[in-house]
Amino acid sequence: MAYYGIQSDDTVAIIGASLPEYLAAFYAASDIATAFPVNSLLSGEALARQFQLGGVTMCIIVGEPGANGLGARVAEAIASAPRVRAVVSTVEAPIQIPEADIQHLSWSDLQSCGEVPERARDPEAIGALFHTGGTSGSPKLARLSRRALVAGPTFAGQVLEWKATDRALNLLPYFHVGGALALATSALLSGAANLTCGLLGARDPELVANLWTVIREMKVTVAGLVPTSWSAVAEHPLPKMTEPFRAMVTGASTMPEVIRTRLVDGTGISFCEVYGMTEFAGFCSGQPLDGRLDRAGVGFLPPKLEIALVEPLGEVALRGPSAFSGYLVDAGISENPGGRHVKTGDLGMWDEGGQLLLRGRIKDVIVRSGHNIDPLSIEDIAARYPHIRQAAAVGRPDAYAGEVPVLYVVIEDGFDRPHFDEYLRANILEPPARPRHVEILPALPTTNVGKLNRSRLRQLAAISAAQEALADCPPISIECGDPAAREVLLVWPDPIGSELLQRCTAALGGIGMTWRVEPRAAHDEIVKGEVKLNA
């Protein structure tokens, strides 16, 4: 890269399949410039926003550019990113970028460019950018220094206690710190092997169905997937596993206890949970791979990472050398901790053995008439019921209580709804925590890395609340795309009169509402308006 003009103030985007070339490109770019692993599932428009914000000057496409239209989306992004001057393809299939002065390079060009003079390296210089947050609106990129890029994987290795003989099956995407740093880099730093499988990883249903065969044939010792992927694995027969396989690993969100128990009992293999953040370059705590912590929790912290539980709720705050150096946003650099504790938004406590337990996130707490309700306390009970595959609880807007719990479930054959309702009443002992509504979904929504997408569930709950409130004057449709789920979009067939507007305003009460009127005929005037109501 340096041979082709990449310098310390450049940014190298890496996008595509999680193959060995991806890691090689990441390590090289973070050493001489700033590496920027990019989500290959984003639209061309979203890629363009991230390329512009990150100041991308070189883009490396790993794998086949034609896969899922990746090449076309990258070309669209580059056309709107004026700083890009070079594109590298790891396969001999350069993308076409019309009317752009772009240097096209192959992977072999980078490998055969000769020696590059040694240079001094600043450990505080930004070595990588990782996107964090949602995929809509203005992007936000976490800035990780070279010090953090070393400290984060080192900490992950300390809590997991890798062996040099381990062979880790890493099914997390490399555009996420969990895949690139917490598993891949920490394993390699410990002398272990990092294995990937397939272009889709855990998103491939065939791989999920045949995971145990893959583990046996590849002599895998450790397998890492997010909880939703492990839940999908648990739907298939679970064979008893033997050496060398020794541990299942998960993180990114809380693992339902019923799924953990099913996997451990079915395979006879220990399960290890970890706690990580993009802002701390990977894992912040974890259970060791040897299985000596055979209970739910996220283990212990590495020695040089400090933690505080901030009252009154016990919010986890962290400080240490793996901390990020602020976010890169449109307005510049924001929220740089500068050595201070970083409040994570996670709620934590200690068990009797000194292990960290997570109790959810502050923003996920359901506040019903001033009563704080932990959604996990609802989900754990629901998930223990036979024929419940997955369960998730969120707050639903309510005119009297502010919000009430609503439970979303994915069911299996044989599910008995009346019996399930009675089961919840009998087992959720706090009346305010009992779900006001139970909704059945074919699948729970997930993010691009497989995390449960609670934001989308809150949007569905807002839509449901609006439908109920507007039962006497129903619109054609109600939509919600607000990340905070505090606004809904109402679509009407005819121009809306002041009387109907007043009825809607009164009915929706505490819900923020955006509305528009769509005409029945094309020549009718389109009336648009917006009403903001305090939540």
Side-chain angles (χ1 to χ4, degrees), residues 161-352:
E161 299 180 8
W162 291 107
K163 296 179 180 179
T165 55
D166 274 325
R167 293 170 59 83
L169 180 59
N170 181 359
L171 296 182
L172 303 181
Y174 287 164
F175 62 76
H176 190 273
V177 293
L181 298 179
L183 284 183
T185 305
S186 74
L188 295 174
L189 285 175
S190 302
N194 175 72
L195 310 175
T196 57
C197 188
L199 298 180
L200 297 178
R203 288 180 171 272
D204 184 349
E206 186 176 355
L207 174 59
V208 169
N210 294 281
L211 179 66
W212 308 112
T213 300
V214 171
I215 288 173
R216 286 195 183 104
E217 292 183 354
M218 299 298 293
K219 296 181 173 56
V220 170
T221 63
V222 177
L225 292 82
V226 295
T228 50
S229 297
W230 279 122
S231 295
V233 171
E235 296 172 15
H236 298 277
L238 300 175
K240 290 294 181 182
M241 300 295 289
T242 58
E243 293 184 349
F245 189 54
R246 68 188 186 102
M248 298 174 281
V249 179
T250 198
S253 59
T254 302
M255 184 74 180
E257 181 61 25
V258 64
I259 300 298
R260 176 189 175 114
T261 301
R262 187 184 306 171
L263 288 164
V264 171
D265 291 348
T267 64
I269 300 297
S270 64
F271 207 99
C272 305
E273 294 189 59
V274 299
Y275 170 43
M277 292 181 64
T278 300
E279 290 82 354
F280 280 84
F283 295 162
C284 305
S285 71
Q287 297 179 321
L289 296 172
D290 62 10
R292 63 180 182 268
L293 288 180
D294 58 352
R295 59 187 186 275
V298 292
F300 306 112
L301 273 70
K304 292 189 177 182
L305 193 60
E306 301 177 22
I307 185 172
L309 299 183
V310 182
E311 297 299 338
L313 296 177
E315 181 181 4
V316 175
L318 298 168
R319 179 174 67 180
S322 60
F324 76 131
S325 300
Y327 299 111
L328 179 60
V329 296
D330 289 336
I333 299 171
S334 69
E335 301 181 49
N336 190 338
R340 298 181 297 274
H341 277 87
V342 177
K343 291 185 177 181
T344 65
D346 297 304
L347 300 176
M349 60 181 293
W350 305 106
D351 72 4
E352 64 280 1

Side-chain angles (χ1 to χ4, degrees), residues 23-34:
L23 289 179
F26 175 79
Y27 296 146
S30 63
D31 183 53
I32 66 168
T34 299

